[in-house]
Amino acid sequence: MAQPKIATLEELRASWDSFSADYELKYQPWTNLTDVELQYMSRLESAKSVVVPGAGPGLGGLQIRQKVSADCKVVVGDLSPEMVKLSEETFIKSGYGVNSPDSMTVVQVMDNQELPVESGSCDRYIANLSIMLVPEPMKQLQEAYRVLQKGGLAVLSTWGRPEFSTFFTLPKKVMMTLGIELPPARSNFHLGNSEEMKVKLKEVGFSKSFTYYNTIRQSIFEDADEYVQMLTASANFRATLAKIGDKAEEFKKALKEEAQKIIDSGDLLSFDHLVVIATK
C-alpha cells in the first residue's frame, strides 16, 4: 500500500504563497477565532517574550502585540514570504514599527521546525493551526521546547475530530460517493488524538500539559455556492480539482448539493480543533 504523501517545505511554501491573499480575505476572519482562543489561554498579561510561528497574514500576531506590554518582545513569522509581507503590512498599518533596531516586534520568514530564535529566550510560544502541516511535527514540538524558558508556556492548535469538521470532510465524503480516488496524502487530522498528543509532549520534555477540543462554526453561507467558492480559494483544493480532471464539475455539483442539505437543515458547517497547553 502506498505511503501517504507528505508535502515538503518547498511545496508548502509555494502553496501558501499562492494562497496568501485569498487566505487573508476569506479564511483569516474565521481562523482568527482560534487565534483569540490561544491568546486567552497564553495569559499574555505576564508575558515577557513571545514567539509566534506559522502566523500567516499576521492578524493574530498583531493582537498579541496589542495585548502584551510595550517592553515585551514579539517575534512573528511564517514559512511563506508572501504571508510575511502581508504580516508586515498588518503591523505597519496599525502603527507598529517592525524589524528596526529599536523595535520590540520582529516579523520574518521562519520554518517551524528550525526557528531563528535563541534557546530559552521566550516565555510564550503560540502556534495556531500550523503543526499538522509541517513535514515533521515532532521537530516543531522540540523547537517549541527549546526556545522556551523553564516554566514557559507553549500553546498550540491543530485540526481535531473529523466527525465534527463538516467544512473540511464533506469534499472527501462526496468523492467517496462518486468513486473518485486520489493518491493517498497525509490528513490534516493526523494529530487530532488528544491522548497521543500528550504522549508526544511528554517525550519532548514538557512537564505538564492540558488538551481540549473545541468546535467552531463557519459564518452563515447564503447558499452552497458560497461554500464551494471559499474552498476554491485554496490552492490545495484547486490542485484537487485538477487531479479529479473530467469529473471535477460532477464533483463540484454533488458537493454543492450535500452542502446545501446541511444549510437547509438549519445547521452550520463546522470545524473542530484540538488545543494544546504545555509547560516547560
Side-chain angles (χ1 to χ4, degrees):
M1 185 175 179
Q3 291 296 313
K5 172 77 168 66
I6 299 175
T8 65
L9 287 179
E10 292 73 20
E11 290 169 336
L12 287 170
R13 183 179 291 110
S15 175
W16 287 95
D17 273 349
S18 66
F19 185 25
S20 57
D22 283 326
Y23 180 90
E24 181 179 39
L25 178 64
K26 298 179 179 179
Y27 281 79
Q28 183 173 237
W30 185 26
T31 58
N32 185 245
L33 295 173
T34 318
D35 276 319
V36 173
E37 182 180 8
L38 299 193
Q39 293 160 24
Y40 174 75
M41 291 297 172
S42 298
R43 304 203 301 270
L44 289 172
E45 64 277 1
S46 61
K48 301 299 181 185
S49 180
V50 187
V51 61
V52 192
L59 178 57
L62 172 64
Q63 291 167 333
I64 291 169
R65 174 72 278 169
Q66 293 169 332
K67 291 175 180 178
V68 298
S69 63
D71 60 353
C72 175
K73 185 174 183 179
V74 178
V75 180
V76 177
D78 198 274
L79 181 66
S80 159
E82 293 301 317
M83 287 290 198
V84 170
K85 288 179 185 177
L86 293 174
S87 189
E88 289 175 339
E89 292 171 4
T90 296
F91 276 90
I92 292 170
K93 287 176 182 177
S94 297
Y96 291 95
V98 298
N99 300 335
S100 63
D102 59 345
S103 173
M104 294 302 289
T105 306
V106 177
V107 180
Q108 64 188 73
V109 174
M110 64 170 66
D111 171 8
N112 292 16
Q113 302 171 127
E114 192 173 347
L115 297 175
V117 178
E118 292 183 8
S119 299
S121 63
C122 63
D123 57 3
R124 300 293 188 280
Y125 172 101
I126 304 173
N128 184 34
L129 299 175
S130 64
I131 190 171
M132 70 281 178
L133 300 172
V134 302
E136 298 183 64
M138 282 298 285
K139 282 189 175 182
Q140 178 165 342
L141 292 179
Q142 289 163 355
E143 280 293 271
Y145 185 84
R146 179 184 68 80
V147 302
L148 281 169
Q149 304 166 3
K150 184 175 177 56
L153 282 178
V155 184
L156 307 90
S157 62
T158 184
W159 286 25
R161 300 165 294 182
E163 62 269 29
F164 295 105
S165 298
T166 53
F167 185 94
F168 290 113
T169 57
L170 196 56
K172 185 174 181 179
K173 175 184 174 183
V174 171
M175 278 190 270
M176 291 178 64
T177 301
L178 296 177
I180 297 172
E181 294 187 14
L182 297 178
R186 188 180 69 180
S187 168
N188 282 350
F189 292 102
H190 71 108
L191 295 175
N193 184 301
S194 62
E195 294 306 313
E196 290 179 2
M197 178 60 77
K198 287 179 181 178
V199 171
K200 295 180 190 300
L201 293 164
K202 187 174 182 179
E203 288 177 359
V204 168
F206 285 98
S207 62
K208 182 169 58 176
S209 66
F210 302 91
T211 60
Y212 68 89
Y213 292 103
N214 192 9
T215 305
I216 58 177
R217 296 295 194 270
Q218 176 53 267
S219 60
I220 297 172
F221 288 118
E222 293 295 329
D223 54 37
D225 278 329
E226 190 178 351
Y227 164 63
V228 175
Q229 287 170 10
M230 186 169 177
L231 283 177
T232 307
S234 163
N236 286 339
F237 189 78
R238 293 196 298 270
T240 297
L241 291 177
K243 291 174 184 176
I244 292 173
D246 294 341
K247 285 191 172 184
E249 290 306 314
E250 180 186 4
F251 165 67
K252 287 171 67 175
K253 179 182 177 182
L255 182 59
K256 288 178 185 179
E257 290 173 353
E258 290 301 312
Q260 195 63 52
K261 289 178 184 177
I262 295 174
I263 294 169
D264 290 344
S265 74
D267 200 359
L268 295 174
L269 290 155
S270 59
F271 167 58
D272 189 76
H273 58 278
L274 174 66
V275 174
V276 177
I277 307 162
T279 304
K280 179 170 179 177

